[in-house]
Amino acid sequence: MSASGWQVFVEVPGKAPVELAMGESVIGRSRSAPVQIAESTVSRQHAILVVEPGVVRLKDLGSSNGTFVNGKRVEGTTGLSDGDKIVVGEAELVIRILAPLGPAEATQRLVLPPMTSPLVESGAKTAPAPEPVGFRPTPTPIPEPFGSPAAAASAAVPDPPRPMAPPAAPAWTPEPPKPAIEPRKGGEVLGSIREIDSVPVPPVPVRKPVTVDHGTAAGFWVRVAAALLDSIPVLLLAGISVALSFFVSSTLGMLVSLLQFAYGALIAVVMPALKGETPGKKLLKLRIVTDPPGPGPGLGWGPALIRLAGHLVCSLTFGLGYLLVAFTAQKQGLHDLIAKTRVVRRA
């Protein structure tokens, strides 16, 4: 809870709700972002939340896929209300804004019993208790000598009953024990605050899948150009290997051939698995994605190896499998259909 009493939470799919501090909080794929979403469709710094007492604003940071609030794209800065739905990439977030409690709800009055009389210090004199109204003390008679006529008369006639005086009030009355206050964690005295902290956060509501555009499918000729750019180093290394084998040393030619094989593995498996791109595709602003896209920037090792096997199948068809790119709706070749991948243009 902030110093102003306002509480702002962001419900992130698959995670516990994130409480936002006063000021600016970034939403993005970066690990340093307060609201981190590990999805490839989310930019590293996708949007920013500005929290002030009673006011929450959202600003898009020029993300690739844009930011939406309740189905409407955010242009510039927009204000948020409790329960608004924010869509970044494929993730749908829910903003929760809790207002501070009033004084009547946040405090609890402690009623102390009244004191009947003040305590008397040790050694101090106390005032005599007041006599009840209508009561007069009876003087104590002086006893007569034994055997005298007055003594005999007093022995023969019994004394009349005397009214009993009420007991004198004590000088002070001990206070009743005060109600014990249960100690609370963190030195809290107000019970309602602990009750607020113990209230469970409502679960994330079930939502419908959101369809997000992940980029325009790359056409046939731009993919051919990217493949030619990737093959230039392979052809150069092959020429160097042949020249060294014939004119210098077959051992040097073998080493260059190994370097050529390593480069082929790099562009065919390693870079698609880790980055989702090759040098040629990066120059032409293309990117390989899974269908549907995965959480990371690359394909992962499994889809990358399956895509390599798809390239081998296309080679067995004498390259006819690559011609499917020009005829399918999603511009996918046979190797893309086997590995369930697509090549799209980056924004």
Side-chain angles (χ1 to χ4, degrees), residues 55 191 270 273:
V55 179
V270 179

Side-chain angles (χ1 to χ4, degrees), residues 93-118:
L93 315 178
V94 180
I95 192 75
R96 302 306 304 271
I97 305 174
L98 304 180
L101 297 177
E105 299 174 343
T107 58
Q108 179 182 0
R109 180 178 299 174
L110 300 179
V111 180
L112 300 179
M115 298 179 63
T116 55
S117 60

Side-chain angles (χ1 to χ4, degrees), residues 256-292:
V256 176
S257 298
L258 292 176
L259 183 62
Q260 178 185 0
F261 176 79
Y263 176 78
L266 179 68
I267 63 174
V269 179
V270 179
M271 293 190 68
L274 300 180
K275 298 293 183 180
E277 59 188 11
T278 61
K281 290 181 174 59
K282 187 173 183 180
L283 288 174
L284 298 180
K285 295 184 178 181
L286 303 181
R287 183 181 179 190
I288 310 171
V289 297
T290 56
D291 194 11

